[in-house]
Amino acid sequence: MTITVGTTITQFIIERQRALPEATGELTSVLNDVVIACKGIANAISHGGLAGVLGSAGTDNVQGEGQKKLDVLSNDIFLKANEWAGHVAGLASEEMEDVVPLPNGVSRGKYLLLFDPLDGSSNIDVNVSVGTIFSILRSPEGVDLPRAEHFLQPGTAQVCAGYVIYGPATMLVLTTGDGVHGFTLSPGIGEFLLTHPDMRIPEETTEFAINASNMRFWELPMRRYIDECLAGSDGPRGKNFNMRWVASMVADVHRILCRGGIFTYPLDSREPSKPGKLRLMYEVNPMSFIVEQAGGVSSTGRQRCMEITPEGLHQRVPVVLGSKSEVERVVGYYRDAAD
Ligand code: AHG
Ligand code: MN
Ligand code: MN
């Protein structure tokens, strides 16, 4: 298939589908609904303070995190766009405790769709980039009403993963297991157009992303890695590093896809019941699929993220991902500490 810059995302998806003899078009339909949802979210976000959508919703989600009005609104937009057409068999969201029941009378498709409707939502009130993350799995054969256990598949089972970044430009970045492709939303025609075909993460980097305020809670291998970066040209690495932290995983990962880098939210000892901050099913797995497809690596420090056997829809895991050589170095430090 020829991928041409400027191709609309719909055309891109249909052409990909044509190249697969076994494809039925159902994935195309799911992705079209996801695209419509994300355009709706982009529209809501772009109005900012004009539309009264900023600030707290006054509620907590299942994970005890305060919800922003836009968390709730984005979740509603995503659900409405994806539940009615019969393209999915089931939906699960960061903002909802259990899987989402589809409306009565709606036929079931063959895919499961998991999503973080608004990622980095602490940034919304200060007008900094946020995103949406999604992961698509196959619904197991013979299951009519998928329950949480049916969603608990390892990241390696994903059929498709993507994110949308609502930044200075709105972009959708997608993989179906054949590279990573980036599309920019044209405000003029309201379509995502291919602008970044075949995105690759540079193997080498001198830029890291971590919330360093948690340093005292980290495990020793992570402390060692960051200490060595901070020591710069005077330390064992013999070169200076730069640091960035947007506090929106989508924005941090997008930067890494564009210019390389390493991103980590490691295990820390603040709350022993929470092994890491980021959620496996709708944050870590889809981002890991994208990162690996772009030539990067994604690990917990001890295991490839996409090989974790999931135990819960909202399970948290440590993650370190990005440029191959740096992530492999961190994994090596964890291995050294275990010996
Ligand atoms: P969400 O807004 O969906 O809850 O995700 C926020 C996540 C992630 O996007 C980001 O990397 C991280 O939380 C930021 O954590 P800190 O607030 O500790 O910086
Ligand atoms: Mn998130
Ligand atoms: Mn979120």
Side-chain angles (χ1 to χ4, degrees), residues 94 116 118-120 133 278-279 283:
E94 176 194 343
D116 173 354
L118 196 66
D119 174 66
I133 311 173
L278 299 176
R279 280 62 53 108
E283 289 175 324

Side-chain angles (χ1 to χ4, degrees), residues 45 120 122-131 166-167 246 248 251:
I45 288 171
S122 69
N123 283 324
I124 196 71
D125 295 341
V126 292
N127 201 17
V128 171
S129 295
V130 288
Y166 310 103
V246 186
S248 163

Side-chain angles (χ1 to χ4, degrees), residues 39 42-43 46 167-171 183-193 195:
K39 285 184 195 172
N43 183 50
S46 70
T170 294
M171 282 190 68
F183 302 81
T184 304
L185 183 61
S186 157
I189 62 169
E191 278 278 15
F192 283 101
L193 304 179
T195 46

Side-chain angles (χ1 to χ4, degrees), residues 155-174:
T156 49
Q158 292 173 103
V159 175
C160 172
Y163 65 77
V164 175
I165 177 168
Y166 310 103
T170 294
M171 282 190 68
L172 188 150
V173 173
L174 184 73

Side-chain angles (χ1 to χ4, degrees), residues 7-173:
T7 304
T8 69
I9 192 162
T10 310
Q11 194 182 345
F12 175 89
I13 297 166
I14 290 173
E15 282 186 18
R16 288 295 307 269
Q17 179 198 320
R18 281 195 192 126
L20 299 170
E22 73 281 8
T24 59
E26 270 187 74
L27 183 61
T28 303
S29 302
V30 176
L31 282 170
N32 278 334
D33 292 345
V34 168
V35 166
I36 289 167
C38 293
K39 285 184 195 172
I41 297 170
N43 183 50
I45 288 171
S46 70
H47 285 85
L50 297 174
V53 293
L54 302 185
S56 165
T59 48
D60 283 353
N61 68 12
V62 53
Q63 305 165 61
E65 295 168 340
Q67 289 176 305
K68 301 280 185 188
K69 284 183 197 163
L70 267 170
D71 282 320
V72 176
L73 185 63
S74 306
N75 191 53
D76 286 349
I77 292 172
F78 209 95
L79 286 179
K80 286 209 176 78
N82 286 285
E83 68 186 2
W84 65 275
H87 297 145
V88 294
L91 293 153
S93 163
E94 176 194 343
E95 303 302 334
M96 306 186 74
E97 179 161 12
D98 206 349
V99 303
V100 185
L102 295 184
N104 285 337
V106 167
S107 60
R108 318 268 144 181
K110 63 178 179 192
Y111 293 106
L112 303 176
L113 176 60
L114 297 101
F115 57 99
D116 173 354
L118 196 66
D119 174 66
S121 57
S122 69
N123 283 324
I124 196 71
D125 295 341
V126 292
N127 201 17
V128 171
S129 295
V130 288
T132 294
I133 311 173
F134 60 92
S135 165
I136 301 177
L137 297 163
R138 282 193 186 82
S139 186
E141 295 269 335
V143 172
D144 261 0
L145 286 177
R147 296 186 303 277
E149 69 205 64
H150 301 117
F151 286 72
L152 300 183
Q153 306 176 31
T156 49
Q158 292 173 103
V159 175
C160 172
Y163 65 77
V164 175
I165 177 168
Y166 310 103
T170 294
M171 282 190 68
L172 188 150
V173 173

Side-chain angles (χ1 to χ4, degrees), residues 295-312:
V297 177
S298 178
S299 169
T300 64
R302 297 177 167 88
Q303 181 184 13
R304 182 182 172 208
C305 290
M306 290 214 290
E307 289 178 358
I308 296 172
T309 304
E311 289 167 1

